[in-house]
Amino acid sequence: MKLSFLFVGVQFFCISAIILTGEIFPSDIIKTILLIITAVPGLIAMYSFSFRFNIFAEIPDSHKLNTSGIYKYVRHPMYTSVILMTLLWVWNDFSLMRFIIWIILLIDMIFKLKLEERLLTVAYPEYEEYIKKTKMFIPYLY
């Protein structure tokens, strides 16, 4: 649990640092469209859980494994949205510092995700089979 708090703390620090060190509103129509597209997987995932989700790498008692809808194609759509949206913010107003912060965020989220997947594998024996059928972030690719 302490490790989960650390991961979330780093995640919030990095996202806040990206937001506070540059422009996050898209500078052109292409980036605006991309921002909307990158938000969609996360919004669909939150909707599938009736907007009740946990940002910590832990499995709440009331949690049920969801392998349908968007989760049929990608195991972590909310992570996908956060990673892609923050990358778009960095690209929109690029600086080396913001890119380094984004890399730290990416590494943190991968470690957090690995912890979450270990917990899901313990809580749901069928999760190992689910891993074999779905990609982590990007449908059909990764």
Side-chain angles (χ1 to χ4, degrees):
M1 185 60 160
K2 290 179 184 179
L3 196 52
S4 180
F5 277 102
L6 174 66
F7 290 143
V8 170
V10 171
Q11 181 179 338
F12 273 91
F13 173 81
C14 289
I15 292 169
S16 298
I18 290 169
I19 289 170
L20 294 172
T21 58
E23 192 63 41
I24 62 165
F25 296 104
S27 59
D28 60 55
I29 191 69
I30 299 295
K31 290 176 186 168
T32 302
I33 292 168
L34 288 173
L35 186 64
I36 292 167
I37 290 169
T38 60
V40 168
L43 292 171
I44 291 170
M46 289 188 297
Y47 177 78
S48 74
F49 283 109
S50 300
F51 294 92
R52 290 179 304 218
F53 55 92
N54 188 0
I55 61 171
F56 297 99
E58 60 185 31
I59 312 300
D61 293 335
S62 62
H63 185 268
K64 291 183 176 37
L65 183 62
N66 187 353
T67 60
S68 62
I70 196 166
Y71 289 94
K72 183 177 179 180
Y73 304 100
V74 62
R75 295 193 305 272
H76 303 283
M78 286 186 257
Y79 285 75
T80 301
S81 281
V82 170
I83 290 167
L84 293 177
M85 287 177 71
T86 53
L87 178 60
L88 187 62
W89 291 342
V90 170
W91 176 38
N92 186 58
D93 190 8
F94 186 82
S95 74
L96 184 57
M97 180 182 72
R98 290 179 97 206
F99 183 67
I100 291 169
I101 293 168
W102 183 82
I103 294 293
I104 294 167
L105 173 65
L106 178 64
I107 292 167
D108 175 73
M109 291 189 75
I110 289 170
F111 278 106
K112 179 182 166 198
L113 183 142
K114 293 296 185 182
L115 172 61
E116 189 175 306
E117 289 209 324
R118 281 196 310 269
L119 296 172
L120 286 165
T121 302
V122 170
Y124 306 101
E126 65 272 24
Y127 194 76
E128 284 190 50
E129 190 62 33
Y130 173 63
I131 287 173
K132 294 175 188 173
K133 295 178 183 177
T134 56
K135 298 298 182 182
M136 192 176 305
F137 293 123
I138 303 168
Y140 309 108
L141 296 176
Y142 179 75

